[in-house]
Amino acid sequence: MKLQNLLLVFMAVLFTGNLVAKESRPNILFVLSDDQSSVHTSYAGAQQLHTPGFDRLANQGAYFTHSFTGVASCAPSRASILTGKSFWRNREASLLFGRLKKDHQVFTRLLSDAGYAVGVSGKSYSPANQNFESTYPLVDELQGLFNKEYKTHEKTPFGINSENYSASFIKFMQDKPKEQPFFFWLGTKEPHRAYKKGIGAENGINPDMVTVPDFLPDNTTIRNDIADYFFEIQWADNHLVNALNYLEEIGQLNNTLVVYTSDNGMPFPRAKATSYNYGVQMPLAMMWGDKIKPGRVIEDFVNHIDFAATFLDVAGAEIPAGLSGKSLLPILLSDKSGLIDAKRTFTLTGFERHVWARPDGEVYGRRVIHTKDWVYIHNFNPDRWPMGSPDFIASHQGIFGDVDAGPTKTFLLENKDAPEIEPLYHLSFSKLPEDELYHLPSDPEQINNVANNVQNQQVLEQLKAQLMRELSKDQDPRMQGLDHWRDYPFYGNKDKYLRGKYLKEYQMLNDNKLIERAEH
């Protein structure tokens, strides 16, 4: 082992300069669901949804009201978690089906160097070009993201991945040396689509009682789709419950920081792959024995880019210079609720490309500043289709390819001419102006763009200036006039789903009204 690594281990053991008390080094269990919006936990008040694992973390630890991913797309969000850098600084890894190269420092390697056992089950950095998902075994650039991947399988319903994530975690715990501290990434593949239709109602979730966001039609199709989504959230939460019970059984729960969040929002129109709050605002709760005072509600704006620094800080390991994120450890160890760090009153998010949804891989650049009362969105390419082209069959999801295929999307496309559906269709698929501004106290679901209202011009200009200033500080290439995302490789199969799967949508392309009405 290199001298530098030996020093890191020595430093970690002593907790020199760290805020954590000198005792056995803490463990970290990081549970990451796949496509879950912040409002969708029972703790947050979602009707018909039961998440006892998440609720336990929130009640016995801390709940974060303003937690965000920097980008509402699976792999770029996960890359930012690993690097601690805003997605626009991660080069190829800023895109879905991109790649983290060897020169990226990731916190999992640094924890391993500091003496931690580092393991993973389920979905980690994916979908991307890396060696942990056999689906995409292309150029193998990234080695040692985790010490070991664990896969335990079971029979599951359609739409539910066969991996038993919590059983894999238990196997990891049994394999590692008893006294060695651990970091474990438990990545569920739920509630990502596809869903078994009706599985929510079959399992006691009443579609008539779920809350439908105002930007979606309120009918039986959408209610059942949401109920099926809720069932998969509960499936993910059950693995958290199993992991908590096991840690409690072996006497390790009190010394383990347990974190639950998601990579991006619900896989529905105007959520995932957008920069609206249903796409980027995440559920987040943390529990850590007596280190975190129970029942705290934290209003500080936090971001997935903060996890890397936080986990290294908790472990007593050195935090590399140049990260975009900051450690949350001072906030966790405080006994206060509300706003703790006066500087954390906003956060930034953005977007470039999700799937191959436009000809030649064109991107759709967005940068966003979120505050308690306002969301300002700057669209760099207002001439392009924000959710993919209406006359281009995307690699995965058909037309408007950045919206996941499913009953809700299909309903909007097939009923776009109905008077009560047309406005909702435009909200999800139409072109957008350069500036969007939303007032959250009066419009929490961000439906009414007030950027053109005269009384809001001062707010808009202030937020826009703040956004551009913060982006420049964080080395966003767009602040230098650069737009190189289109040129990065797409390591997925652009033609994988084109034969036959979207025959109906090919036929819809012949209906000129589809494009004409979207341009309206």
Side-chain angles (χ1 to χ4, degrees), residues 125-348:
Y125 170 53
S126 177
N129 179 358
Q130 41 93 349
N131 63 319
F132 298 102
E133 293 284 345
S134 59
T135 312
Y136 311 108
L138 301 174
V139 181
D140 182 4
E141 284 276 350
L142 184 63
Q143 298 290 340
L145 186 59
F146 300 92
N147 294 148
K148 190 172 182 180
E149 180 183 24
Y150 285 78
K151 286 191 175 184
T152 305
H153 292 274
E154 62 179 344
K155 187 175 181 179
T156 57
F158 172 82
I160 300 290
N161 191 270
S162 66
E163 290 187 52
N164 188 326
Y165 317 109
S166 49
S168 295
F169 168 61
I170 293 171
K171 182 66 167 61
F172 161 81
M173 293 294 292
Q174 294 169 341
D175 284 354
K176 78 172 188 67
K178 184 177 180 180
E179 301 303 321
Q180 187 179 18
F182 71 83
F183 171 88
F184 194 84
W185 178 306
L186 194 159
T188 74
K189 298 183 180 180
E190 293 77 33
H192 196 290
R193 292 186 184 273
Y195 307 142
K196 179 185 176 184
K197 288 187 178 180
I199 197 169
E202 292 170 8
N203 286 273
I205 299 172
N206 184 349
D208 293 335
M209 298 295 291
V210 304
T211 300
V212 179
D214 289 343
F215 51 81
L216 295 177
D218 188 350
N219 58 39
T220 300
T221 298
I222 278 68
R223 286 181 170 276
N224 276 283
D225 204 14
I226 292 174
D228 296 343
Y229 159 70
F230 277 8
F231 172 78
E232 294 215 356
I233 292 175
Q234 293 181 172
W235 187 276
D237 187 82
N238 187 59
H239 285 282
L240 170 61
V241 170
N242 293 342
L244 291 175
N245 289 341
Y246 175 75
L247 287 171
E248 197 164 34
E249 178 184 322
I250 65 172
Q252 286 293 315
L253 185 57
N254 194 59
N255 193 39
T256 302
L257 171 63
V258 184
V259 179
Y260 182 103
T261 189
S262 190
D263 59 351
N264 51 251
M266 63 190 295
F268 285 71
R270 206 170 171 84
K272 179 181 178 180
T274 76
S275 295
Y276 306 114
N277 284 7
Y278 266 79
V280 292
Q281 191 167 359
M282 298 292 96
L284 177 61
M286 301 189 193
M287 183 176 78
W288 186 10
D290 57 5
K291 297 287 194 309
I292 299 178
K293 182 180 176 181
R296 294 170 59 212
V297 177
I298 297 171
E299 298 177 359
D300 298 53
F301 278 71
V302 301
N303 195 294
H304 281 10
I305 57 176
D306 296 320
F307 287 134
T310 301
F311 296 151
L312 292 169
D313 207 7
V314 165
E318 182 179 353
I319 300 173
L323 301 189
S324 301
K326 306 293 183 185
S327 174
L328 300 176
L329 187 57
I331 293 175
L332 296 180
L333 298 182
S334 169
D335 61 357
K336 298 178 181 178
S337 288
L339 180 64
I340 298 165
D341 183 344
K343 295 180 180 179
R344 287 185 173 270
T345 57
F346 70 93
T347 195
L348 308 184

Side-chain angles (χ1 to χ4, degrees), residues 432-483:
L432 298 167
E434 183 175 297
D435 295 318
E436 296 178 71
L437 183 67
Y438 299 95
H439 183 237
L440 296 178
S442 62
D443 182 22
E445 295 184 345
Q446 296 163 265
I447 292 174
N448 302 304
N449 180 13
V450 296
N452 291 328
N453 292 8
V454 175
Q455 64 268 32
N456 297 324
Q457 291 310 296
Q458 183 176 359
V459 172
L460 187 151
E461 293 303 325
Q462 287 175 345
L463 289 173
K464 184 174 184 178
Q466 184 181 3
L467 172 64
M468 299 306 168
R469 186 167 61 247
E470 295 294 333
L471 291 172
S472 295
K473 285 167 56 178
D474 198 37
Q475 304 170 42
D476 185 345
R478 282 200 177 270
M479 297 300 98
Q480 304 168 36
L482 301 176
D483 180 4

